[in-house]
């Protein structure tokens, strides 16, 4: 089952211009607040109406401005999970799940019962949403959506209202659910870990535009843009000056020179290096690496150290951040600060503006 999206919509000074098509998968839409993620979902659901474009789900046209087609939300076979879950506050769990069903009361109760058993809600059937935990509310909302067998799922920041422990547990549950689902799922998030854990493919958005798209592994390994690198949590990004076909000078890092695996092209304006991709060097290793000239190396000067439970965050010259693992019982970083750091050419990401 596939979906085709061509959405063009203006709202004040904001302009959403989104074009993409995909087959059955869990698609993550990753971007900063206000970039147009939620507006994209609302356009698919029929809550927002694009100014121009076309939205097609398999062989069904949901919206086509040229042919004046605009199906009502209830006609689109789309399941939308809002950030606040949007449960009916005066209805019980069972009644919320039954709300979207058609048929006689006995049949609706039977179907709702099967869905409550699937989501572990049987003992909560008579409770109101206000009596439920955040995780129970989310499971109720998902059960209410899936009971209607929608062709596509739209999940808008589904874990934003949950605390850390519950969030991680429900992510695991959600992952199993989504990968057994037969349709296309769109998951809106600004959380890098959430996107990587749950999604097959990622769409990276910035200021109403789709800037990069592809399998999650490829986008995290080698984003093509500065914004794409930032959205996938690259902390080290510098403007560059080309010094050779396979070398650059990092202007924001004291003019350090870095070797690259791929040849430089005119469109490349920055480099990015992930904080875990540096490796430590003692003084002898540093001199040997520098003599070999295969990788890029530089001395560690005036480091600033921040302790986290399982890693050190060490900021070295010109703001370069290096992260290295630590033992939970280790609280002094003296032995973790090396003479120098190295990075392989394959770890230097070439980025365009």
């Amino acid at each position: 089952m596939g979906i085709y999206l061509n959405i063009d919509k203006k709202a004040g000074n904001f302009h959403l211009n989104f074009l993409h098509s995909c087959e059955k998968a869990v698609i993550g839409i990753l971007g900063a607040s206000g970039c147009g993620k939620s507006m994209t979902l609302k356009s698919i659901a029929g809550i927002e109406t694009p100014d121009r474009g076309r939205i097609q789900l398999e062989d069904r046209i949901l919206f086509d401005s040229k042919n004046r087609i605009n199906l009502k939300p209830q006609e689109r076979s789309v399941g939308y999970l809002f950030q606040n879950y949007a449960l009916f506050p005066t209805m019980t769990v069972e009644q919320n799940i039954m709300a979207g069903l058609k048929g006689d009361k006995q049949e609706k109760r039977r179907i709702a019962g099967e869905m409550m058993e699937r989501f572990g809600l049987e003992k909560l059937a008579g409770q109101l949403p206000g009596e439920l935990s955040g995780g129970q509310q989310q499971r109720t909302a998902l059960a209410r959506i899936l009971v209607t067998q929608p062709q596509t799922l739209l999940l808008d920041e589904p874990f934003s209202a949950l605390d850390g422990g519950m969030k991680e547990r429900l992510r695991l549950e959600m992952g199993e659910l989504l990968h057994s689902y037969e349709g296309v799922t769109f998951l809106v998030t600004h959380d890098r870990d959430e996107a990587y854990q749950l999604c097959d493919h990622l769409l990276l958005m910035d200021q109403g535009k789709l800037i990069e798209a592809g399998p999650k592994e490829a986008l995290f390994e080698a984003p093509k843009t500065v914004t794409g690198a930032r959205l996938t949590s690259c902390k080290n990004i510098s403007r560059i000056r080309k010094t050779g076909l396979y070398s650059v000078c990092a202007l924001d890092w004291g003019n350090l020179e870095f070797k690259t695996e791929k040849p430089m092209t005119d469109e490349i304006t920055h480099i990015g290096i992930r904080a875990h991709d540096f490796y430590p060097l003692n003084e002898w290793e540093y001199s040997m690496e520098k003599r070999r000239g295969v990788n890029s190396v530089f001395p560690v000067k005036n480091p600033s150290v921040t302790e986290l439970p399982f890693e050190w965050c060490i900021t070295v010259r010109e703001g370069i951040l290096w992260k290295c693992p630590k033992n939970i019982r280790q609280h002094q970083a003296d032995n973790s600060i090396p003479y120098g750091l190295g990075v392989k050419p394959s770890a230097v990401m070439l980025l365009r503006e």
Side-chain angles (χ1 to χ4, degrees):
M1 181 181 294
I3 190 166
Y4 171 81
L5 304 174
N6 182 1
I7 302 169
D8 193 314
K9 181 176 178 61
K10 289 185 179 179
N13 294 326
F14 182 77
H15 186 192
L16 175 65
N17 192 343
F18 189 98
L19 177 63
H20 189 68
S21 62
C22 55
E23 297 300 317
K24 176 192 177 298
V26 182
I27 311 294
I29 304 181
L30 190 62
S33 296
C35 72
K37 304 186 300 293
S38 293
M39 186 180 287
T40 300
L41 292 198
K42 289 176 181 177
S43 297
I44 298 170
I47 299 169
E48 295 275 0
T49 301
D51 301 323
R52 286 171 298 280
R54 180 184 174 93
I55 300 172
Q56 183 168 339
L57 179 58
E58 194 61 19
D59 57 352
R60 298 174 60 241
I61 299 172
L62 310 186
F63 175 80
D64 189 331
S65 58
K66 186 176 180 181
N67 294 304
R68 297 186 178 182
I69 298 172
N70 186 18
L71 297 188
K72 295 177 181 178
Q74 58 268 32
E75 298 173 336
R76 295 194 176 203
S77 189
V78 169
Y80 197 127
L81 182 65
F82 294 88
Q83 291 183 37
N84 61 0
Y85 310 137
L87 296 170
F88 298 114
T90 59
M91 290 185 178
T92 65
V93 168
E94 183 183 45
Q95 289 168 341
N96 263 283
I97 295 172
M98 290 169 59
L101 291 172
K102 296 178 181 179
D104 63 64
K105 192 171 184 178
Q106 186 175 353
E107 179 65 9
K108 287 160 64 171
R109 275 202 161 157
R110 182 190 67 77
I111 296 171
E114 291 176 355
M115 192 58 68
M116 285 189 291
E117 183 178 354
R118 176 181 175 185
F119 282 87
L121 297 168
E122 311 100 302
K123 296 180 180 179
L124 304 173
Q127 295 197 22
L128 298 173
E131 300 171 319
L132 305 177
S133 69
Q136 290 166 345
Q137 289 182 30
Q138 187 191 79
R139 292 205 302 274
T140 302
L142 276 169
R144 186 180 66 179
I145 289 168
L146 290 174
V147 79
T148 61
Q149 299 181 323
Q151 285 185 288
T152 189
L153 282 180
L154 309 178
L155 310 179
D156 194 351
E157 300 277 9
F159 305 102
S160 60
L162 305 177
D163 60 37
M166 183 179 291
K167 182 182 294 188
E168 187 55 38
R169 188 175 73 251
L170 288 178
R171 275 182 183 172
L172 294 173
E173 292 179 9
M174 182 76 82
E176 294 177 6
L177 168 69
L178 295 183
H179 287 94
S180 64
Y181 175 63
E182 291 298 321
V184 178
T185 300
F186 286 95
L187 169 68
V188 156
T189 183
H190 62 272
D191 186 307
R192 169 205 66 185
D193 294 341
E194 192 170 292
Y196 199 92
Q197 181 178 353
L198 293 174
C199 302
D200 305 306
H201 295 264
L202 291 180
L203 311 179
L204 306 183
M205 288 189 70
D206 183 46
Q207 299 180 37
K209 302 261 188 315
L210 178 60
I211 57 170
E212 296 195 53
K216 64 182 180 186
E217 298 86 355
L219 285 187
F220 271 82
E221 183 178 339
K224 302 292 191 297
T225 65
V226 171
T227 302
R230 289 195 177 115
L231 287 175
T232 55
S233 293
C234 178
K235 305 298 183 184
N236 300 307
I237 298 174
S238 172
R239 296 168 299 138
I240 55 98
R241 174 171 50 83
K242 180 180 175 181
T243 57
L245 187 58
Y246 292 93
S247 63
V248 297
C249 177
L251 302 178
D252 297 318
W253 299 336
N255 294 319
L256 286 174
E257 188 164 295
F258 289 87
K259 297 174 175 61
T260 66
E261 183 178 59
K262 296 178 181 178
M264 293 296 299
T265 59
D266 291 340
E267 66 176 357
I268 302 302
T269 58
H270 294 69
I271 59 168
I273 304 174
R274 298 203 182 275
H276 291 95
D277 277 344
F278 297 101
Y279 57 88
L281 299 165
N282 61 34
E283 189 170 358
W284 180 81
E285 291 169 334
Y286 177 84
S287 62
M288 292 298 294
E289 288 266 320
K290 196 169 182 65
R291 188 178 304 171
R292 288 175 63 222
V294 176
N295 299 329
S296 306
V297 298
F298 57 92
V300 171
K301 296 180 180 179
N302 303 318
S304 172
V305 180
T306 301
E307 181 184 3
L308 295 178
F310 301 105
E311 64 184 3
W312 297 110
C313 296
I314 301 176
T315 304
V316 299
R317 58 183 297 170
E318 308 299 339
I320 295 176
L321 177 66
W322 172 50
K323 292 185 178 182
C324 65
K326 66 177 278 290
N327 189 295
I328 188 65
R329 298 171 185 83
Q330 178 189 3
H331 303 293
Q332 298 298 322
D334 297 350
N335 295 330
S336 297
I337 299 175
Y339 179 85
L341 290 176
V343 63
K344 296 179 180 179
S346 58
V348 179
M349 299 183 292
L350 307 184
L351 309 171
R352 61 178 184 269
E353 189 67 69

